Amino acid sequence: MEIERKYLVTNDSYRQMAIARYHIRQGYISREKTGTVRIRICLEEDVLTGEIINSQAYITIKGRPAIGHFARYEWEKSIDSNDAEELMLLCQGTIIDKTRWIVPAVESGLKWEIDEFHDKHEGLQLAEIELEFEEQVVELPSFVGKEVTDDPQYYNANM
């Protein structure tokens, strides 16, 4: 199960706090009301130099959360990068291109994921945090603004 909250980002102070950075390309083979099937290619970059230090690819199946809840089913499996490139050709709509910054949420032991979108969504920045349980309260850092967890325009599958 994935329990996630999503927020707009108000400034780029997270960059100085980041412990990891990734360049991500992802597309959707299926975007249904009941769930999605996503292909993701993820290049881990050195935070200081931008040099690629690791590459991974995944196929992910996600359900939709029940109304008024944040938890949803998620199944993810690593796949070969060449297979992921082939599967990207089956994706519907725009391929999302983004940079993801990982920032520790020190007080809770969790991690913030801040996505800077490129291309069609250039300038959009979203912060997500995956919780251990739905009622978990986390301290919001200075770069976090309005919550958009329930706003479909900010679902990657709708972009």
Side-chain angles (χ1 to χ4, degrees):
M1 293 300 286
E2 175 187 64
I3 305 168
E4 187 176 79
R5 306 282 296 263
K6 189 179 291 199
Y7 303 83
L8 294 176
V9 172
T10 59
N11 64 65
D12 67 359
S13 63
Y14 57 85
R15 290 182 180 192
Q16 288 74 42
M17 300 178 243
I19 59 170
R21 181 175 75 191
Y22 301 88
H23 179 238
I24 296 172
R25 284 181 31 244
Q26 67 186 39
Y28 292 83
I29 292 175
S30 175
R31 304 171 198 236
E32 301 295 327
K33 289 186 180 202
T34 55
T36 60
V37 178
R38 176 185 74 201
I39 304 300
R40 175 180 281 174
I41 300 170
C42 187
L43 304 176
E44 184 176 3
E45 302 175 342
D46 182 281
V47 176
L48 298 175
T49 67
E51 182 180 328
I52 304 299
I53 56 177
N54 191 20
S55 174
Q56 294 182 303
Y58 305 92
I59 184 168
T60 306
I61 300 170
K62 290 188 177 194
R64 293 280 187 214
I67 295 173
H69 294 275
F70 306 113
R72 64 180 171 174
Y73 175 80
E74 180 182 66
W75 178 88
E76 186 168 78
K77 182 168 178 66
S78 292
I79 60 173
D80 179 79
S81 294
N82 292 327
D83 291 341
E85 290 290 351
E86 266 189 56
L87 290 169
M88 281 285 197
L89 300 174
L90 299 175
C91 292
Q92 307 165 0
T94 303
I95 300 296
I96 293 173
D97 184 27
K98 61 187 178 181
T99 300
R100 172 167 287 171
W101 301 79
I102 307 299
V103 174
V106 180
E107 73 289 338
S108 65
L110 302 174
K111 292 180 182 156
W112 288 95
E113 296 178 342
I114 299 87
D115 289 341
E116 297 176 350
F117 291 83
H118 307 297
D119 297 332
K120 181 180 173 185
H121 302 289
E122 189 71 40
L124 176 61
Q125 297 177 320
L126 295 173
E128 300 176 352
I129 192 161
E130 197 165 318
L131 305 175
E132 296 168 341
F133 53 94
E134 282 197 50
E135 299 80 23
Q136 187 172 5
V137 176
V138 293
E139 186 176 322
L140 302 181
S142 63
F143 58 81
V144 169
K146 176 184 174 190
E147 183 169 6
V148 293
T149 302
D150 293 327
D151 190 337
Q153 74 175 324
Y154 295 108
Y155 297 172
N156 281 234
N158 291 343
M159 292 185 182

